[in-house]
Every structure is written in C-alpha cells, then in structure tokens.
Amino acid sequence: MIYTDTRDGSVKVDFKTAVMNGMNQATGGLYIPTSFPKLDKALINKDPEPSFRVIAFEMAKPYVEGEIPDADLSEIIADAYPFSPKVVPLDSISYSLELFHGPTCAFKDFGARFMARVMSYFNRNESTPLHILVATSGDTGSAVGSAFHNVPGLDVTILYPDGKISPLQEKQLSTFTGNVRALKVKGTFDDCQKLVKTAFTDTELRGKLRLSSANSINISRLLPQSFYYMYSSLVVRNRSAIDNKIQDPAIITIVPSGNFGNLTSGLIAKEMGAPITGFVAATNTNRTIPDWIATGSYDARPSVETYANAMDVGAPSNYERIKAMYTLEQVRQLFASYWLDNDGIMEAIRACNNKTGYIIDPHGAIGWKAWEDIKNGAMEALANGNKNDYTKPGLTPNLPAWASKVIDKKAVGMILETASPAKFGSIVTDAIGKEPPMPSRLEEVLHLPDRAIPMENDYNTFKDWLLANL
Ligand SMILES: *Cc1c(COP(=O)(O)O)cnc(C)c1O
C-alpha cells in the first residue's frame, strides 16, 4: 500500500515509513492510505460471520502488503487480540458495541496493541531499542503502556501531570515494571507535552537515543480500529433477522468522539464494504465538529472539562483526515451530529439504566441518548423542518441521507461503548445510585505498588534523567 499525506497528495511513502514517522514533519500533514480496498464479498456475506481475528487479518492485509508477510501478520493479530469486541442488545433495534474487554478497559487497546506489535516488527533488525515518549492526560498513557509492556525492542516513558489524573488512571499508568515507566511531572498536561516535543527536536538527544511517539494520529492505531466496525456490523446484520425481523437493516453507528480517530476508522470500514449506512458523531460540550457540520466553518478552540473527559478535545486531530476523505456536503449526508452537556450526560446514564437495565459509561451515554432521540422522533422532526438550535444540546440541523430509513423503521442503532463504566465509577454511581461492577483486571491494578518517578517541570532535568536511565 502507498500512503500519502493530508496536506500534499504528491507524497508517497510505504507503511513502515508512515508508522515510524507518525506524521509528516515536512508538511505537518497526517498519513492516509491512497485507497481503501474492498473486503471480499464472500467474507462479508457469511452468516454466521467470520471471527474477529479472521476479519482483522483480512482487513489488515492490503495495508501491509509487501512489508509484513502473511505468517507474521497472523502472529501480530493473534498476539494483539486475545480479546474480542462484544455486541450486546439493549432493545430490539439498539445494540451496545462493547470495546472495553481489553486489558485497560477502553477501546484504545485495539489500536495501541496493534501499533506496538507493528513497531516491534519494524524494529526487529535494529541493535538498539526504540524509545517511545508519550505525554498523557489519562487514558492514552495506560493503553500505550499496557500495549507496549514486554514487547521486544521497545521501551516506553509516559509523562503525566502529577495530581491531575484520576486515582484509577494513575494506578493504570504507574504500576508497570520492565520496559515501561511513568514520570509524574510537577506541571500540567501541556507541560508534559512540551517536554516531549522539546525532546523530539533536541538533536543532541536524538543522536544518542532512537526516539518515537505513539499518539493517536499514527496510522497504525487508526487502521486496526476499522476491524471492529466491520466485525460488529456483520454481527448486527446477521442478528437483526431474529431480533427485529428487519431484513438488511440500515445500520447507524453512533460514535462517542474526541479526536475523531475512532470515527475515522469507521469511515475506513465503510469504504472497505462494511454494511454501515450512516454515523452519528456524538460528543460533549467540546462541540467543534457538531458546530462545523451545522455552520460549515471549522473553529478549533481550547478544550473544556466534562464528565466524558476522554473527549475533552477542542481541536480534533482527525478533522484533517475526514476533510481529506469527504466534502462537507458528503459529511452532512453521512453523519448526524449530536452533543450533550454535563447535566445531559448524567441524565442519559440514568435514563439508559432505567429503560434498559444497562450500565453505560459517560462517553457511551451520549451515544445512547443520541440514538434514543433519533429513533424516538428527532429525525422525523428534523425532516419536517423543526431544526434544533445547534448551540443547544441535541442534534445538528443537517438531514443525513439515511433519515428516511430511521423514519420508515428500517434502521437499527449500534452504539460504541468506548470504556467500561467502572473506569468512571464515581460519575456513574452519582447518576444511578449504585456502583458499576469492577472488572477483575482493574481491581488487580488498584493493589499494585505505585512506581511513578517524580519529575521537575524542567527540560534539562528531564533530559539528564533520560540519558542516565534509558
Ligand atoms: C479516547 C476516547 C474517546 C475518543 O476517541 P477519539 O478517537 O479521540 O474520538 C472516547 N471515549 C473514550 C472512553 C476514550 O478513551
């Protein structure tokens, strides 16, 4: 596969270059495949559907062709995914796609684990380790730390702001041993990011250590997220004949979004032939994308804190990829967009539990409420010209091409549940008056000793530490 760049279509690189560079330093653009090959129809039409790992292998294949042989790719997939996504029905036309059955209980495990194994593969003939530096405000660090833990040839240093992440998140970051360690920086997330960025531009340091990043713009984190969209849309299509008797339903996929990497992966799956009809971009008060869809003007802004804090992003990095793939008019046909404030999030967690018995996390809750409104008449109201004010919580005023499918009751909704509710236990408990069940792997992490290393917010101290310890 040839990869190009969102800012310069004349750029042509291979997969290895795209993965190891992360982004194109020369243009500031993001790498993107030049085509999205269709998955074999025979595989898509199977009932029962193929296993998640079979789909993952077949979808990954064209993107690594000529660079990773089938036998090695197969090993990477098997090692990355000892767990699977799960489709759970909430009512006859609504499904939760649970993406939290990996080690850190959030969907980022799918992308980070594939990326770690691909980087290790590309580093296999080097005599020195590749040092990954990552600044985190919470969830990314644990997914990356866990994904790279004990992966050969790789070494990870996580920087996080001391006292500014939740106690559970801190435990998930700071209890690794061996090739993964965490530095608790006396500063903010922005300070952590600045230390990492300064290290990347420090030629003296780079002469001594091979450095790389692992952030969410990396194409090797984006591609594997498309695997679960394909798999789950086949599960939902095959189940629908029994659950709701709708033949070939229009599958509407509702995606809680921050940097919009997850949603971009869904677009890739659709391009590759997944039976997905449309998307709902669901978010919190950080409504940069809903505002863009509503008004046509893209206005990045500082992020604000919300209960769905993994989506507290004011300048979503994958906007650039969505823009490279589709025009605004195409986006308006393909997506509905929806946002909720904190009160709406609490109310949604409660309403979901009251109506379905399901305990949902604050991110998934926005998705659930979006679909609840859509299936209960919001799309019909929109089609009749009753447009919601986009500055108020709810749907944006564009009418997607699939609205008629919802109105004619030919659609089902698949809500991506991006994290286990136990990761946001206190918010969920406040909303529903009972604690969500704690998965044993989170419980275990709570009892491990904290190994975080205190770090001054000072570049030279940080650099000296790296040189002395890595
Ligand atoms: C990271 C994250 C998101 C947002 O995903 P993007 O790909 O950045 O849009 C949503 N929910 C949870 C729980 C997350 O950790």
Side-chain angles (χ1 to χ4, degrees), residues 277-300:
T277 303
F279 295 90
V280 181
T283 193
N284 55 30
T285 319
N286 295 282
R287 31 176 257 248
T288 306
I289 295 283
D291 284 6
W292 169 58
I293 292 176
T295 66
S297 77
Y298 177 80
D299 178 21

Side-chain angles (χ1 to χ4, degrees), residues 105-108 139-140 216 221-222 225 255-264 308 310-311 313 317-318 361 363-364 417-420 423-424:
C105 300
F107 84 94
K108 290 184 176 72
D139 270 4
T140 302
S216 65
R221 269 180 73 173
L222 213 62
Q225 294 173 170
V255 189
S257 296
N259 268 315
F260 284 76
N262 202 1
L263 201 136
T264 306
M311 315 200 299
V313 178
S317 50
N318 282 290
D361 96 290
H363 306 80
E417 174 57 327
T418 48
S420 160
K423 289 193 85 165
F424 302 90

